[in-house]
Amino acid sequence: MISSPGSIFHLAVLLITISACLTPFCSSKSGAPAPTLIGNGYRLISVDKTADGALIGHLQVNRRNYIYGPDIPLLQLYVKHETDERLRVHITDAQHQRWEIPYNLIPRDQPPAPSKQTAGRSIEKPIKPTEFTGSELIFSYIPDPFSFTVKRKSNGETLFNSASDESSPYNSLVFKDQYLEISTSLPEDASLYGLGENTQPHGIKLYPNDPYTLWTTDQSAINLNMDLYGSHPVYMDLRNAGGEAKAHGVLLLNSNGMDVVYRGSSLTYKVIGGVFDFYFFSGPAPLAVVDQYTQLIGRPAPMPYWSLGFHQCRWGYHNLSVVEDVVENYRKAEIPLDVIWNDDDHMDGHKDFTLNQKNYPHHKLIDFLNKIHARGMKYIVINDPGIGVNASYGTYQRALANDVFIKYEGKPYLAQVWPGPVHFPDFLNPKTVSWWADEIRRFHELVPVDGLWIDMNEASNFCSGLCSIPKGKQCPSGTGPGWICCLDCKNVTKTRWDEPPYKINASGVPVPIGYKTIPTSAVHYNGVREYDAHSIYGFSETIATHKGLLGLQNKRPFILTRSTYVGSGHYAAHWTGDNKGTWNDLKYSISTILNFGIFGIPMVGSDICGFYPAPTEELCNRWIELGAFYPFSRDHANYYSPRQELYQWKSVAISARNALGMRYKLLPYLYTLTYEAHTTGAPVARPVFFSFPNITKLHGLSTQFLLGSGLMVSPVLDKHQTKISVMFPPGTWYNLFDLSKAVVAKETESFSMDAPLHVINVHLYQNTILPMQRGGVISREAKTTPFTLIVTFPAGATNGLATGKLYLDNDELPEMKLGTGQSTYVGFSAKAANGLVKVWSEVEDGEFAVKQGLIIEKVTVVGLAGVHGEFSVSVDGGSGLSTAEVVETELLFMGELIGKGKQKSKMVEVKGLEIPVGKSFTMSWKMVVN
């Protein structure tokens, strides 16, 4: 649904250019020092080791400063090497408990609690600078003014340095009740990624002097360089020294609003509450950083197999017959479709957990669901957190009885969203979580949906301030846009929570942070203020929704959420919100999706063809070609836009059949990547530099990306283009749509590639084994078809090793894991050496795949010479298969060969096989040797 078309307001600010900070204390664009000190720093007055090997110390303010409020006089410092690769630095008030992310939401070790009795005493001898060394990282400090440094043990490289001097454009450590500041110096050539969610027009790399504000906001993705739906205060830093790249990660686990000022040579956090809770991840590979990060925040959720199919949605499917027609038209057009969605059209008056009996009669909807479920299709509906204030509405009545709403002055806070007047559930309250799960259960008994889409959960509010239902008039009126505030509201910005002393750059305009959301002085469970908990609202709803779905039938849940925070990927997928049907938005989608992979939310996609307004036919062609390779692939359109299902244009239908046809062949590969994500955090869609970190010219590449480690997608991103420039890292890259065509790059270089209207360039890297199936128009059928293994070697090679993997399971199980009898893992290998080619597999828990009757029907090896003789196949030590047929094809190349010449390189297809996937096999033959 449209970003509470409260986001219509934000369209007006799209072209506003604004600095990263609205105060006189920020640095200038030139990086000149700040003219006024906000604090005078702290000095370390005590330090000691704890029983578990951590450091604990106390910091005393040097001299109080009253800008943005008085400094907190005494701080507690806690430092611990939590793992070999992870260092934690926690700084808080030494005498009073402060807000932190609840430990039950993101489970982690808890530092010693602050205590007035145990506050440190100043020791007699001066404290000397010292180092606290772990396996991979070193923490060191300077006592006065206090600063700390994190270094890499292997080479002494400084990763984070909070020291400042007179030439620095930032302050020493500042810690006030409502303003915290800390900075780090950076080398100018560092490449930084993360700090989102925002739409970055310059590509995936952070861009100096662009604003990076973290505060979950209902603001559409078309707004550039602004705080959007999610808050992820984490960044990856990639540096290349002497040709060897090393990456590390930095997380500030804090949910309060913040500006992060990146100047190129430094980065400054300006936070309006909470604590400094830093986690440093040593890497050094980009994949290792994400692995270490998700080990802390929670591994990405296991995804159902069907969720990797294609999804169709629209706000404006006015009745069930329209939905039925959409499904039927996809079938007639032979365009793959796994999931049909309803926005709020199915609801009674936009109210959650209800059904519009006129437009979606219950018995007819159940008949429809029985029909599509029998086919293997799925059905998902939307849910918003705002619960309509309506005495006859059962969900509302039960909510009141359970006292689950966020309060203002002791009463449920009144807001307005799609149903009209609403209250917002407080998901920090355990009773709310139980009530929410019960409502999900009740609705599922009415309509057996296959997942839930939770939207508007920043939280979005069409009004601002303290409101009441007007007397004597209908609200909403039932005419005109539904997002116009019709409540009687008054300003509540006079509290220090609603009008904090430091103004973050919320919404890119100088509005109160409570604008079009819950007032930040509102109160959650146990007295928690919205001021602190605002940016975890959607996260807490996601956890409650996951618990509710998991409790239904103990099946694997599927949740799509708009608002996200650190750890949301442990429970849900994400889409990038309201985008436009423009070529720029097509480009922007790549960077946003790649960022979310770094954030630990790998199941992510953008609305294909754009949410609004109408895309051109050419744009929709190109968008489905790209969107077919998003991890989450869904077409979604606005109520006010023309219909844009993929069958609406003949040309788009052709592109959809081509691109989605390939996606459905790749489903086993994509599913294996989701298993890798679930077990190691590895993003499904990755920047190209993840596989080639030492190549600096790839560090900013934002127009191409990888699926896994070696499948590169290079879309057309501009109109009227039939050729594009594609950057290829060194090696051989095979055209996935025609493996007889390859590109060989001696070094990282760009090639001009043909890209007619219905073509997207997808290339498979050397030394890879890619499992594929025949495909189909629905995942349930596609996953039963025979497999082909594509084995790639460098063109012209006579020696080499290729590897690949395959994970299969019963995707209704809540977990993705081996050893249950309901899953199989296969490792594939291929080796060329001494004139012999050998391809083999090693199988774990093969019984599941054997029971499914899955077979390998073809093995295709590209890049080597042809077959000379002595071909053999054995399965689990059994006799060879006599039905195999070998076909050789000459390869066509673009670029120079690495090796001995084009005549040595062929595509060898071994057809007619019937090798059970669940059994180990070995295949070998002699190569032609010149």
Side-chain angles (χ1 to χ4, degrees), residues 306-493:
W306 54 261
S307 69
L308 293 168
F310 183 68
H311 303 243
Q312 178 61 51
C313 183
R314 175 181 173 79
W315 180 29
Y317 288 150
H318 301 295
N319 55 52
L320 179 59
S321 64
V322 177
V323 177
E324 292 173 320
D325 285 345
V326 170
V327 172
E328 185 61 19
N329 284 329
Y330 267 95
R331 191 188 66 80
K332 288 180 179 177
E334 297 181 329
I335 299 172
L337 179 65
D338 258 77
V339 189
I340 187 70
W341 295 58
N342 260 129
D343 210 306
D344 72 350
D345 305 291
H346 69 286
M347 294 180 179
D348 177 16
H350 308 285
K351 299 190 297 293
D352 285 348
F353 307 118
T354 64
L355 196 62
N356 183 326
Q357 291 290 352
K358 179 181 177 182
N359 295 329
Y360 284 80
H362 182 251
H363 69 284
K364 290 187 177 180
L365 179 59
I366 295 302
D367 288 345
F368 169 69
L369 294 184
N370 288 338
K371 179 180 177 181
I372 67 168
H373 283 154
R375 193 184 299 171
M377 289 184 63
K378 306 296 180 180
Y379 177 62
I380 295 175
V381 299
I382 199 168
N383 235 3
D384 295 340
I387 301 299
V389 176
N390 186 320
S392 64
Y393 174 29
T395 295
Y396 173 70
Q397 292 173 329
R398 290 184 289 272
L400 277 182
N402 283 281
D403 191 23
V404 303
F405 293 126
I406 293 173
K407 302 288 181 57
Y408 197 94
E409 296 178 344
K411 298 178 181 178
Y413 172 70
L414 186 71
Q416 181 189 329
V417 202
W418 296 110
V422 300
H423 298 317
F424 289 114
D426 174 13
F427 294 102
L428 298 183
N429 185 342
K431 287 172 62 178
T432 308
V433 177
S434 298
W435 160 81
W436 188 252
D438 186 58
E439 295 302 321
I440 290 173
R441 178 191 60 78
R442 290 170 182 267
F443 182 67
H444 191 268
E445 289 175 355
L446 179 71
V447 182
V449 296
D450 300 288
L452 285 176
W453 169 20
I454 52 177
D455 192 16
M456 310 285 283
N457 51 352
E458 291 73 32
S460 177
N461 183 359
F462 297 167
C463 301
S464 297
L466 186 58
C467 305
S468 60
I469 299 175
K471 296 180 180 179
K473 71 173 183 179
Q474 184 178 343
C475 176
S477 65
T479 61
W483 56 84
I484 303 301
C485 179
C486 61
L487 300 178
D488 289 337
C489 303
K490 63 179 182 180
N491 197 329
V492 292
T493 60

Side-chain angles (χ1 to χ4, degrees), residues 1-12 217-223 229 313-317 342-345 347 350 382-385 416-419 453-462 480-484 516 560 562-563 575-581 607 610-614 634 636-641:
M1 187 187 297
I2 195 167
S3 315
S4 97
S7 64
I8 294 296
F9 160 81
H10 296 294
L11 302 185
T217 306
D218 174 12
Q219 165 158 263
S220 68
I222 70 172
N223 294 282
Y229 314 106
C313 183
R314 175 181 173 79
W315 180 29
Y317 288 150
N342 260 129
D343 210 306
D344 72 350
D345 305 291
M347 294 180 179
H350 308 285
I382 199 168
N383 235 3
D384 295 340
Q416 181 189 329
V417 202
W418 296 110
W453 169 20
I454 52 177
D455 192 16
M456 310 285 283
N457 51 352
E458 291 73 32
S460 177
N461 183 359
F462 297 167
W483 56 84
I484 303 301
K516 293 297 181 79
L560 184 72
R562 191 170 75 180
S563 186
W575 93 108
T576 64
D578 297 350
N579 57 1
K580 291 184 78 173
D607 284 348
F611 183 62
Y612 64 97
R634 184 183 73 158
H636 179 42
N638 183 10
Y639 185 96
Y640 300 98
S641 298

Side-chain angles (χ1 to χ4, degrees), residues 72-114:
I72 291 176
L74 190 66
L75 305 179
Q76 175 178 286
L77 169 70
Y78 176 81
V79 184
K80 187 176 183 182
H81 293 281
E82 293 192 332
T83 69
D84 288 348
E85 301 86 13
R86 184 173 83 226
L87 170 70
R88 185 181 189 182
V89 178
H90 184 277
I91 303 174
T92 187
D93 188 331
Q95 297 174 299
H96 301 93
Q97 189 70 45
R98 290 179 63 81
W99 163 257
E100 298 188 45
I101 306 296
Y103 281 76
N104 65 319
L105 293 189
I106 301 180
R108 60 203 189 279
D109 293 341
Q110 200 155 348

Side-chain angles (χ1 to χ4, degrees), residues 687-708:
V688 177
F689 74 76
F690 264 53
S691 290
F692 304 92
N694 293 337
I695 304 174
T696 54
K697 67 168 63 176
L698 298 177
H699 290 184
L701 183 61
S702 306
T703 54
Q704 301 164 221
F705 62 93
L706 296 175
L707 291 174

Side-chain angles (χ1 to χ4, degrees), residues 162 168 198 252 256 319 338 414 443 485 562 630 632 664 755:
S162 71
S168 301
N198 61 13
L252 173 56
N256 290 85
N319 55 52
D338 258 77
L414 186 71
F443 182 67
C485 179
R562 191 170 75 180
Y630 289 158
F632 172 64
Y664 275 62

Side-chain angles (χ1 to χ4, degrees), residues 4 9 121 153 159 196 249 279 320 348 375 415 471 479 531 544 590 682 783 818 832 922:
S4 97
F9 160 81
R121 300 187 308 275
K153 186 177 179 181
L159 308 183
Y279 291 85
L320 179 59
D348 177 16
R375 193 184 299 171
K471 296 180 180 179
T479 61
Y531 181 85
I590 297 176
K783 72 179 181 179
L818 294 170
T922 301

